[in-house]
Amino acid sequence: MSSNRLLSIDALRGLVILFMLLDHVRETFYLHQQVGDPMDVTATEPALFFSRTLAHLCAPVFILLTGLSAFLYGEKQMSRAATSAFLFKRGLFLVVLEFTLVNFAWTFQFPPTVIYLQVIWAIGLSMLALSVLLWLPRTLLAVLGLALVAGHNLLDGLHFDAESALHIPWAILHDRGWIEFSETLRLRTSYPVLPWIGVIALGYVIGPWFRWTSAPEQRLQWLRRAGFGALALFVLLRLLNGYGEKPWAVEETALQTLMGLFNITKYPPSLLFLALTLGVGLLLLAYFERRNDGRMVRTLAVFGSAPMFFYLLHLYVLKLLYIAAFAIWGANQGHYFGFDSMGWIWAATVLLALLLFAPTQWFARLKARRRDIRWLKYL
């Protein structure tokens, strides 16, 4: 039962890793067609819009599963103190990784003039927060997680200018912006972390559903109820059209109107963004629970069993491919080299997934086999 239970978690993580790969291929070879947040449905082609929307699943599922995995780690260690210490150390490790290897993979610039604090930063800070919050009673932690996810949009109108002592902490917590670190270095808080702390807390709260002693059918029931409940909340709030999100409107075409309904804000993630993505993620997790003996689930689980290794590997592969393509063909899309359509982006994503499968599988097996190499668990 335990292997099947964990296989579904790795499979879901693997699926969103492939969605992430699609989005990063787009960000590498489709820069001439950049999108905003939320997107402009009247100026964004449907293929680009729905590809980007699909990638919205990535960060919420990653961070929810990080909280869930933290609980399962604690169950294995039988020590909340050991779990807290591990989360603290790994959170610091991820923050350092964002400033170094991850940022360099995006820019190939050293010393950097701009550092983008993105999803690895958000996961790292969320783990640091959870290392403290996990000492709370589970009910109180659930209430706090729900309050952060559902209530942070009430703070959208709160801003502090650069001269305020609250500018930097608020930029980190909720107000996406720039931090002028020095005359030669700026930091961009791309992922304000306050709602993500709520997500990781909720992931930890649902951890008992995945205990060794939990009945699979009961777990499926909980996952479905939570997933459909989150989607129902999304539909209700979207129809009310009045809280925490840019209002949608009837557009010139039915397709554009549909795009408007799903045009939600990621930076920071609105309540509707999290209700939709977490609802879908929980239902996918329930699906993988039922299909855990299938080839597709086992293949996806390979990607999900070595997520940090894959993350770093694919960033450097993409950057080197772009440099090589630019050197060979030059700037064919304004200032960039890029593909002519999203079809090529999807084709390149499938090819890269096939090429990166073998090294990811090798590392996953190494990590499973060499448990004596302690630093491997951080990847």
Side-chain angles (χ1 to χ4, degrees), residues 4-249:
N4 290 341
R5 168 197 55 153
L6 298 178
L7 190 66
S8 65
I9 295 173
D10 280 344
L12 177 58
R13 189 183 288 117
L15 178 65
V16 296
I17 279 174
L18 295 182
F19 292 160
M20 175 196 69
L21 177 61
L22 169 67
D23 200 46
H24 289 173
V25 172
R26 176 194 63 81
E27 289 188 343
T28 304
F29 292 104
Y30 218 58
L31 280 172
H32 52 287
Q33 295 287 349
Q34 298 186 35
V35 295
D37 178 58
M39 292 174 272
D40 182 355
V41 298
T42 63
T44 305
E45 60 175 309
L48 174 56
F49 177 89
F50 287 110
S51 295
R52 174 60 178 160
T53 301
L54 190 64
H56 283 343
L57 283 169
C58 300
V61 169
F62 275 142
I63 295 177
L64 184 80
L65 294 184
T66 299
L68 170 57
S69 298
F71 178 88
L72 294 178
Y73 178 86
E75 287 285 289
K76 185 177 180 181
Q77 298 295 317
M78 294 185 292
S79 168
R80 195 176 301 189
T83 307
S84 178
F86 175 72
L87 285 169
F88 185 81
K89 289 185 289 185
R90 192 161 193 262
L92 284 180
F93 171 77
L94 293 182
V95 170
V96 171
L97 205 62
E98 184 74 85
F99 276 87
T100 54
L101 291 179
V102 173
N103 189 73
F104 184 72
W106 283 109
T107 65
F108 267 34
Q109 183 184 61
F110 187 82
T113 58
V114 177
I115 295 178
Y116 296 96
L117 305 177
Q118 302 189 83
V119 68
I120 301 303
W121 153 270
I123 296 174
L125 288 190
S126 298
M127 294 179 81
L128 290 175
L130 184 60
S131 72
V132 177
L133 295 175
L134 61 78
W135 293 99
L136 294 173
R138 184 174 175 231
T139 300
L140 185 55
L141 184 60
V143 170
L144 177 62
L146 289 172
L148 290 176
V149 167
H152 78 92
N153 284 127
L154 296 172
L155 305 171
D156 289 348
L158 188 59
H159 307 283
F160 299 96
D161 58 36
E163 288 71 35
S164 171
L166 294 175
H167 171 70
I168 292 178
W170 196 238
I172 292 171
L173 286 172
H174 195 264
D175 197 6
R176 187 187 193 201
W178 291 96
I179 298 174
E180 302 293 336
F181 186 78
S182 69
E183 292 184 357
T184 57
L185 178 62
R186 296 194 302 162
L187 309 179
R188 173 67 159 168
T189 56
S190 299
Y191 275 72
V193 298
L194 193 61
W196 297 119
I197 293 172
V199 174
I200 201 172
L202 293 179
Y204 191 87
V205 165
I206 69 171
W209 300 355
F210 288 80
R211 279 189 171 122
W212 299 81
T213 55
S214 296
E217 287 302 321
Q218 181 66 67
R219 179 162 59 249
L220 285 172
Q221 188 177 65
W222 285 330
L223 288 171
R224 288 167 180 160
R225 285 178 178 176
F228 283 121
L231 293 182
L233 178 64
F234 170 81
V235 171
L236 175 63
L237 290 178
R238 206 56 175 136
L239 292 179
L240 292 176
N241 211 17
Y243 174 69
E245 193 57 82
K246 181 179 178 181
W248 63 275

